[in-house]
Amino acid sequence: MKNPGVTRARLAGHALVEALVAQGIDTVFGVPGESYLAVLDGFHEHARRIRFIACRHEGGASFMADAQGKLTGWPGVCFVTRGPGASNAAIGLHTAFQDSTPLVLFVGQVAGDQRDREAFQELDYRQLFGPGTLGMAKWVGEVQDADRLPEYVARAFHTAMQGRPGPVVLVLPEDMLTRQTAAPVLPRVVPALAWPAPGAMRDLRTMLAKAQKPLVIVGGSGWSAKGARALQSFAEAWQLPVACGFRFQDCFDNRHPLYAGDVGIGINPKLAARVRGADLILALGLRLGEMTTGGYSLLAAPRPAQRLVHLHAGAEELGRVYSADLMLQCSLAVAGQALGTLELLPEAPRWAEWSAAANADYKANLEAPPVAPLDMAVVVKTVQRLAPANTVYTNGAGNFSAWLHRYVRYFGLQHHGRTQLAPTSGAMGYGVPAAVAAALLYPERTVVNIAGDGDFLMTGQELATAKAHGAGQGGGPRSGHLISIVVDNATFGTIRMHQERSYPGRVSGSDLRANPDFAALARAYGWNAWLVQRTEEFEPAFAAALAADGPGLIHVKLDAEVSTPRVTLSALREAATRPG
C-alpha cells in the first residue's frame, strides 16, 4: 500500500503545518517571530485548513493552548519565537505540566551555524524547560534534519498524550525550516490505552466489601464523556459519594445526589472532616497534589490513615508521593468502564446514610449569609441562572475564584464536555486567555470568565485578540457570548489574606493603588462594558451582556474587607492578634 502522505518537495516550515493538519489541528495560538517565518508562510499557504491566532503576549498564547488541550483532550498548540518569546511562554508550559494538559510548544531557534555563540536571543531549551518530574515539559526535542520533521511532530503528539498527559517542546532552528523536504506527513496519532490488571480489580472489590465510609475523589486530565458516564454508573451501582479534586469540578455532575463537593482551596469544613474520617479513599485520576490534599494533611504523606486506592494514567505517578494500599495504572478514557466491571456485593452497600449526608453537606454549603453592598455569592448564582447550561467558566488565581468554585454547579463531562477551565498550578492571568480560546474554538457556546483585578491585569491585553478574531460575537442562537467579570477590590487579595494571618496590619506590596477604569479599558478594546457596585445592579448588567452583540466586560467593585466567602480581613487580623 502506498504511503498516503505528501511527497512533493516544499519548505520544511510548510511541511510542519501539513503535519499539524494531519494531527487534526485546525487552530494554533502564538506570537509571530522572525525565527519561524517559514512556518507562518505555511499557515498562509494552508489558511483554509488551519488558522494562526496571533495573540498579544506569549503568556496569553500558551494559556490559550493549555485551554485548547483541556477542552479538546487533544494537544493544544502554541508557537513562539526564541529567547524572550519562549521565556514568556513558560507560564503556560508550567501550568500544562502541573495540570497534566496535553500541549505542544514550538519554539523558533537561531540557525544551526550560529549555535553556541550566544547569538541573538539564543537559549538552550533543554536546560530551560528540562524534562523531568519537576520540570516544565515531558520532553524537549530539537529538529536538526528537515526530513525528520514529521517524525518529531508525531513523537511530540504521542508523548504529550501517553500516560500522564503533559506538555512537550519542539525547537525549530531557523535555517532548518527554510530547507526543502519531500518527507511525507505521518498518520494521526492514536494514543495507547492502559487497563488495570484483573487481580488488582479483584483486590479493589475486596476493599470495598470491607469499607464502612468510602469516598471517591475524582479529577485529572483525560476523562472523556463516555468515561464520565461510566464513572457515574459505577458510583450509582455502589452508591459511593463522589467529590472532585481541586479545579476538576466538571468531572462529575454537581447536581447528582451522590455529589459531595470539591476538595481544594476553601474546602467545605464538613467535607474536609469527611475526607479525614473516611476509611477508604478511591482517588481516581488525580495526582493528589498539595491543593487537593490540604497541604498533605487531609491525606497524610507518605502513608495516609485512610486506606488508599490510587488510579492514575501514569505509572511514574503511582507511589510517587503516597504509599497507596492499591495502585491501578489505567487510562482515564477507560477508567469508568474498568470500574464498571466490578461485580456488585450480594448485599446493599452499608454506607447509604454516609453518602446521603455527604450530599446534604454539599447542598448546605451553597447557602451563605447576605453581604452588602455587593454579594459575590449572588453574582455567581445569577450568572449560572441566566447563562446557558453549556457555558464554559474560566478563572485564574486569586481569592475571587473561591466564589466561583463554591457556588457554580458544574455539569459532568458527559453532558457538555469541559465546562471548567482553571489552573491547578495557581497561575494568575489564566482566565482571560482561556476564555478567548474557548470562545474561538467553540463559537456556539457562551464563555464566562471571572477574574480578579490583579489577575486580569496580567493578560487583559488579550481582549484585543478576542476582538481581532471575532470571539464571542453573540447575536444569534448559534453564536455564543464572551463575558469577563472583573472583581476589583484594589488588592492582591490572596497575598493580603496571608499577610493578615502572618503579619496582621502590616500591609506591604499587596495593594493595587492605581487600578484603571476597567469598563473604560474594555471599551477601548472595542468591548461592551458595564460598571456594577451593588448586588441589585449585577443582574441587569449581565442580562444586557447576554443580549448584546460582541464581547462584554462587567467591572464589579468589591470591598477588600470581603476576603473570601468565609472570612473578612478584620476577622483574620483579629484572630492573628488574639492572645494565646
Side-chain angles (χ1 to χ4, degrees):
M1 179 178 177
K2 290 185 178 181
N3 191 318
V6 176
T7 56
R8 61 179 175 78
R10 71 283 198 211
L11 290 177
H14 287 213
L16 172 55
V17 175
E18 292 164 4
L20 292 175
V21 172
Q23 293 302 325
I25 300 299
D26 61 11
T27 302
V28 304
F29 302 94
V31 175
E34 68 271 24
S35 60
Y36 66 97
L37 290 176
V39 181
L40 293 171
D41 191 67
F43 286 126
H44 182 274
E45 178 72 13
H46 297 286
R48 292 185 178 181
R49 297 196 290 170
I50 189 170
R51 58 179 173 170
F52 179 85
I53 302 297
C55 305
R56 297 314 193 254
H57 189 274
E58 291 89 354
S62 59
F63 278 149
M64 290 187 199
D66 176 87
Q68 180 182 24
K70 284 181 168 71
L71 282 167
T72 65
W74 203 250
V77 177
C78 180
F79 277 83
V80 297
T81 195
R82 58 201 176 209
S87 301
N88 284 342
I91 187 170
L93 200 69
H94 180 255
T95 297
F97 193 90
Q98 290 223 329
D99 289 20
S100 302
T101 305
L103 184 152
V104 181
L105 175 69
F106 292 93
V107 181
Q109 176 62 298
V110 301
D113 61 358
Q114 298 175 4
R115 289 297 304 275
D116 300 322
R117 294 175 172 174
E118 197 180 344
F120 181 61
Q121 298 182 339
E122 181 180 6
L123 280 174
D124 184 333
Y125 298 103
R126 289 190 175 95
Q127 292 290 329
L128 179 64
F129 298 127
T133 56
L134 291 176
M136 281 190 280
K138 292 182 70 176
W139 175 55
V140 181
E142 183 164 335
V143 188
Q144 300 293 343
D145 184 348
D147 290 339
R148 293 185 63 190
L149 185 54
E151 170 196 337
Y152 273 83
V153 173
R155 179 179 172 183
F157 274 73
H158 270 293
T159 304
M161 299 183 71
Q162 294 298 147
R164 174 187 168 187
V168 166
V169 178
L170 269 190
V171 182
L172 309 170
E174 183 178 358
D175 55 342
M176 181 277 296
L177 291 172
T178 59
R179 294 177 191 143
Q180 294 284 316
T181 178
V185 299
L186 295 177
R188 181 168 177 163
V189 165
V190 179
L193 299 177
W195 192 276
M201 297 302 288
R202 289 193 294 270
D203 292 341
L204 173 57
R205 184 178 184 275
T206 299
M207 295 172 71
L208 278 167
K210 295 178 180 179
Q212 300 289 330
K213 297 179 178 180
L215 178 66
V216 174
I217 306 177
V218 62
S221 172
W223 291 97
S224 63
K226 182 178 179 180
R229 282 192 296 270
L231 172 65
Q232 180 174 310
S233 297
F234 164 72
E236 290 169 346
W238 288 83
Q239 284 299 292
L240 292 164
V242 180
C244 290
F246 179 55
R247 291 181 171 166
F248 288 111
Q249 289 167 254
D250 59 358
C251 286
F252 194 83
D253 193 336
N254 295 185
R255 292 161 174 77
H256 197 281
L258 289 172
Y259 186 61
D262 63 299
V263 185
I265 296 175
I267 185 173
N268 180 358
K270 290 187 177 180
L271 179 55
R274 195 169 296 279
V275 175
R276 292 190 178 96
D279 61 3
L280 177 63
I281 299 288
L282 275 65
L284 307 180
L286 308 105
R287 290 195 299 113
L288 290 176
E290 179 186 354
M291 296 299 101
T292 295
T293 62
Y296 307 103
S297 64
L298 296 178
L299 281 77
R303 187 68 175 167
Q306 311 92 326
R307 298 197 78 189
L308 175 62
V309 176
H310 193 186
L311 180 151
H312 201 276
E316 74 285 355
E317 193 62 36
L318 296 169
R320 177 181 168 194
V321 176
Y322 285 97
S323 178
D325 297 275
L326 179 62
M327 294 181 287
L328 306 172
Q329 185 185 3
C330 184
S331 301
L332 298 192
V334 296
Q337 293 94 306
L339 293 167
T341 64
L342 287 182
E343 182 183 355
L344 292 174
L345 300 175
E347 69 278 0
R350 62 184 68 88
W351 48 76
E353 290 186 8
W354 163 263
S355 299
N359 182 250
D361 288 344
Y362 162 69
K363 289 180 177 177
N365 194 50
L366 295 172
E367 304 302 322
V371 176
L374 191 135
D375 192 328
M376 280 299 300
V378 174
V379 165
V380 171
K381 290 180 179 181
T382 300
V383 168
Q384 183 149 63
R385 176 166 51 84
L386 298 182
N390 67 346
T391 294
V392 177
Y393 296 89
T394 78
N395 64 272
N399 276 7
F400 68 90
S401 65
W403 282 277
L404 190 68
H405 297 338
R406 181 172 174 179
Y407 297 113
V408 169
R409 304 185 74 182
Y410 292 94
F411 288 91
L413 282 165
Q414 66 269 36
H415 298 294
H416 306 294
R418 292 299 304 266
T419 53
Q420 182 185 34
L421 298 178
T424 67
S425 67
M428 293 182 70
Y430 180 87
V432 170
V436 174
L440 289 170
L441 293 167
Y442 297 99
E444 75 283 1
R445 297 177 68 174
T446 289
V447 182
V448 175
N449 161 244
I450 299 186
D453 44 356
D455 177 67
F456 177 88
L457 286 169
M458 292 194 174
T459 52
Q461 67 272 14
E462 300 304 343
L463 268 62
T465 304
K467 189 66 177 177
H469 294 277
Q473 289 304 298
R478 297 187 58 80
S479 183
H481 292 82
L482 171 58
I483 301 171
S484 183
I485 301 168
V486 180
V487 183
D488 175 11
N489 63 356
T491 186
F492 287 115
T494 302
I495 309 307
R496 176 70 182 277
M497 176 184 70
H498 289 305
Q499 282 181 328
E500 295 291 0
R501 282 175 173 164
S502 301
Y503 305 96
R506 298 173 63 83
V507 179
S508 176
S510 56
D511 277 350
L512 294 171
R513 301 180 182 179
N515 271 347
D517 179 335
F518 288 102
L521 181 63
R523 293 187 190 104
Y525 281 114
W527 284 45
N528 304 304
W530 297 263
L531 172 65
V532 168
Q533 300 186 79
R534 303 182 64 83
T535 305
E536 60 270 20
E537 297 170 354
F538 180 78
E539 182 166 339
F542 189 71
L546 286 173
D549 291 339
L553 181 143
I554 303 175
H555 180 185
V556 173
K557 299 279 278 185
L558 182 69
D559 194 318
E561 172 69 10
V562 185
S563 184
T564 76
R566 301 188 189 279
V567 70
T568 64
L569 290 180
S570 295
L572 287 169
R573 196 179 306 116
E574 180 182 350
T577 56
R578 189 180 300 128

